């Protein structure tokens, strides 16, 4: 009788472990410290979807978007060196998705080096650059349309 309980427990644990998928489509790196931050009055999925529609309407190509993971990355834009914008949206309060803590990163790649990863080559877009201006415009549009919370 005791052995059957152990076997059942092992099967239950295996099923539970198999049901969990700890994968994400977000990148393994964190945003750069120079990234823009705000708390937007909308769930993370809605913020991501609205940012996607704003960028596409502004003819900036979106390379990757995941509503489930609340992450967005644009294609390269604005010439040489190319700039890119990334958006992360996380729940402001854990397990409550009424507001989103939004981080918008603008980066550029000053050089190409195939021996290094893309992230190693990226630098924060300087103030006044096309990437930084686009990130600021996106954050302003999100604040105007969805509202912002100031703590």
């Amino acid at each position: 009788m005791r052995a059957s309980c152990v076997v059942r427990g092992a099967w239950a644990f295996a099923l539970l472990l198999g049901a969990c998928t700890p994968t994400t489509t977000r990148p393994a790196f964190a945003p750069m410290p120079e990234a823009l931050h705000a708390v937007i009055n909308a769930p993370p999925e809605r913020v991501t979807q609205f940012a996607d529609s704003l960028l596409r309407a502004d003819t900036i190509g979106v390379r990757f978007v995941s509503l489930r993971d609340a992450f967005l990355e644009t294609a390269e834009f604005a010439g040489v060196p190319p700039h890119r914008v990334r958006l992360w949206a996380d729940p402001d309060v854990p397990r409550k998705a009424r507001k989103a803590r939004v981080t918008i990163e603008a980066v550029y790649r000053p050089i190409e080096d195939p021996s290094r990863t893309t992230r190693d080559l990226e630098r924060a877009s300087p103030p006044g650059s096309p990437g930084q201006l686009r990130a600021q415009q996106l954050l302003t549009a999100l604040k105007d349309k969805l509202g912002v919370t100031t703590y």
Side-chain angles (χ1 to χ4, degrees):
M1 175 124 170
R2 183 130 173 103
S4 66
C5 289
V6 171
V7 170
R8 278 190 220 155
W11 275 108
F13 179 73
L15 287 173
L16 181 65
L17 188 63
C20 297
T21 55
T23 60
T24 180
T25 56
R26 284 186 171 195
F29 52 82
M32 295 205 170
E34 298 87 354
L36 304 173
H37 302 278
V39 176
I40 303 295
N41 298 336
E45 300 82 18
R46 183 158 180 238
V47 170
T48 308
Q49 186 175 28
F50 187 67
D52 180 36
S53 65
L54 282 174
L55 290 167
R56 290 181 195 271
D58 198 23
T59 67
I60 293 181
V62 175
R63 186 173 93 70
F64 181 80
V65 64
S66 172
L67 298 179
R68 182 177 63 92
D69 291 330
F71 175 75
L72 178 140
E73 180 177 30
T74 67
E76 294 179 341
F77 64 92
V80 180
H83 291 263
R84 179 171 287 173
V85 172
R86 293 185 183 102
L87 177 138
W88 287 262
D90 298 303
D92 184 37
V93 178
R95 295 181 292 283
K96 291 186 181 179
R98 292 186 201 130
K99 296 181 183 181
R101 190 169 297 274
V102 176
T103 304
I104 301 176
E105 168 188 84
V107 295
Y108 74 103
R109 241 180 326 173
I111 61 170
E112 292 290 330
D113 184 354
S115 67
R116 295 174 61 192
T117 66
T118 302
R119 186 61 175 186
D120 287 342
L121 298 171
E122 289 180 339
R123 303 289 175 257
S125 294
S129 69
Q132 189 65 27
L133 291 174
R134 189 62 202 121
Q136 187 62 50
Q137 289 171 352
L138 178 60
L139 186 59
T140 301
L142 289 171
K143 287 177 178 180
D144 290 346
K145 180 67 176 179
L146 303 173
V148 65
T149 296
T150 306
Y151 290 114

